[in-house]
Amino acid sequence: MDKFSDMEMFASIVKHQGLAAAGRDLGLSPASMTARLQALEERYGVKLLNRSTRHVSLTDSGELYYKACLDILDNVNEVENIIQSGVKEVKGALRVSAPKDIGKQYIVPILNEFSERYPDVIPYLYLNDHLSNVNESGMDIVIRYGEMADSNLISRRLASSRRVLCASPEYLAKRGTPITPQDLVGHDCLVMLRHNEELKTWHFRENDQRKSITVTPKRFSDDGEVIRRWALEGAGIALKSLLDVQADINHRRLVTVLNGYMKNFNASTTVSSADLNVVYLSKKYQPKRIRLFLDFLFEQFPDLVKQSSDN
């Protein structure tokens, strides 16, 4: 087999997290996949994957090889598109990951308009609130709150934001409005889960004073949109990004509390830790469809945020 075919095979194994699933995608038997992977590792004299019966993970050498595979495969696909369709045509898959609230309120309409301009670009939108390994996720663009420290990634701020505590007017009328962070201990709080970790310790800063409060969870979810929905229904107090709940606050469906404090899920209460960022792999030759979408995203997103604030 040629090196390009081996790269396609290896990228498929990592994408599908297993040889059997990758083999089904490529039309190859498990035995053929195993033999080809062994031959690949023997060629370079290194182990590329750690394999168990249920899971595969990249070794350090495997991660280097995988990143190179993605770059080369993307570049070849882009050249093929140009040759086959002409320089002016843009086509191919565009894989975007975003938190659910942000994705539904802002990214969906942006993708809709982008698809109208470039109908041969096929968008894949993955909505989740988990911080993923961009290198292994297969995503072209990841939209996330906070920073992701990785020298192989480019991170650009899409919008400034901050964390706010919010609840429905009905809940506050029934349970009272907290005046200090300590008051939250007596309130029902809606708590995020991140990788099965309960984010029930909320951090506050007022001037130079820092305080951490372990709140009383009323409900848990790993979905930020569900947390917002529960807050709207009067189930408790939520710690949310202002971007997620701006329209609800403007329409008085939600009310912010403890506004004199800077708030966050972690001890880093810097403003930038709550900003919304666009993260993507650093590549010498970024496919044209990705470059165009990035430009379009940064052009359109501020207008949508402004519309949300005005409405």
Side-chain angles (χ1 to χ4, degrees), residues 171 175 182-191 200-202 213-220 235-237:
Y171 173 86
R175 299 292 302 275
Q182 189 63 40
D183 294 339
L184 291 171
V185 175
H187 278 270
D188 296 336
C189 294
L190 310 172
V191 175
K200 59 184 179 182
T201 300
W202 294 351
I213 301 296
T214 299
V215 300
T216 304
K218 180 68 173 179
R219 301 179 186 180
F220 291 98
I237 297 176

Side-chain angles (χ1 to χ4, degrees), residues 28-75:
L28 297 172
S29 68
S32 296
M33 293 291 293
T34 300
R36 285 186 57 183
L37 180 59
Q38 289 176 345
L40 182 62
E41 290 179 325
E42 289 174 3
R43 178 197 301 162
Y44 295 114
V46 294
K47 189 175 183 180
L48 298 174
L49 289 175
N50 296 310
R51 302 190 291 280
S52 67
T53 55
R54 295 185 177 181
H55 182 68
V56 298
S57 62
L58 291 165
T59 64
D60 290 343
S61 297
E63 186 171 352
L64 289 173
Y65 183 67
Y66 177 62
K67 292 174 184 176
C69 289
L70 292 181
D71 284 343
I72 291 170
L73 292 171
D74 276 346
N75 290 337

Side-chain angles (χ1 to χ4, degrees), residues 219-261:
R219 301 179 186 180
F220 291 98
S221 179
D222 65 349
D223 186 330
E225 185 186 22
V226 170
I227 297 289
R228 171 173 164 261
R229 176 54 54 189
W230 283 339
L232 289 168
E233 293 171 353
I237 297 176
L239 180 55
K240 292 288 295 177
S241 165
L242 181 60
L243 283 172
D244 291 343
V245 294
Q246 184 68 71
D248 298 317
I249 293 169
N250 292 346
H251 288 89
R252 296 288 296 176
R253 295 187 291 262
L254 291 175
V255 177
T256 59
V257 298
L258 297 179
N259 293 324
Y261 297 84

Side-chain angles (χ1 to χ4, degrees), residues 120-164:
D120 290 328
V121 174
I122 309 301
Y124 291 71
L125 180 58
Y126 299 82
L127 297 177
N128 63 72
D129 289 278
H130 301 296
L131 291 174
S132 61
N133 185 324
V134 179
N135 291 303
E136 298 182 14
S137 68
M139 296 296 111
D140 297 311
I141 294 169
V142 174
I143 299 169
R144 284 291 179 270
Y145 286 110
E147 300 172 351
M148 300 178 71
D150 190 324
S151 60
N152 295 309
L153 301 176
I154 295 175
S155 180
R156 296 170 57 189
R157 187 173 68 183
L158 183 60
S160 298
S161 189
R162 56 187 172 88
R163 307 287 185 190
V164 295

Side-chain angles (χ1 to χ4, degrees), residues 77-92 117-121 287-289 291-292:
N77 288 335
E78 186 67 13
V79 171
E80 287 179 342
N81 289 339
I82 293 172
I83 293 173
Q84 294 171 1
S85 305
V87 176
K88 293 184 178 180
E89 283 201 34
V90 181
K91 63 190 300 185
R117 292 192 183 190
Y118 303 101
D120 290 328
V121 174
K288 188 175 182 180
R289 63 187 180 277
R291 297 198 307 270
L292 288 172

Side-chain angles (χ1 to χ4, degrees), residues 97-117:
S97 174
K100 281 193 175 181
D101 272 325
I102 289 295
K104 291 184 177 181
Q105 293 185 64
Y106 303 110
I107 305 305
V108 166
I110 289 174
L111 271 175
N112 290 345
E113 189 170 343
F114 187 78
S115 294
E116 290 181 7
R117 292 192 183 190

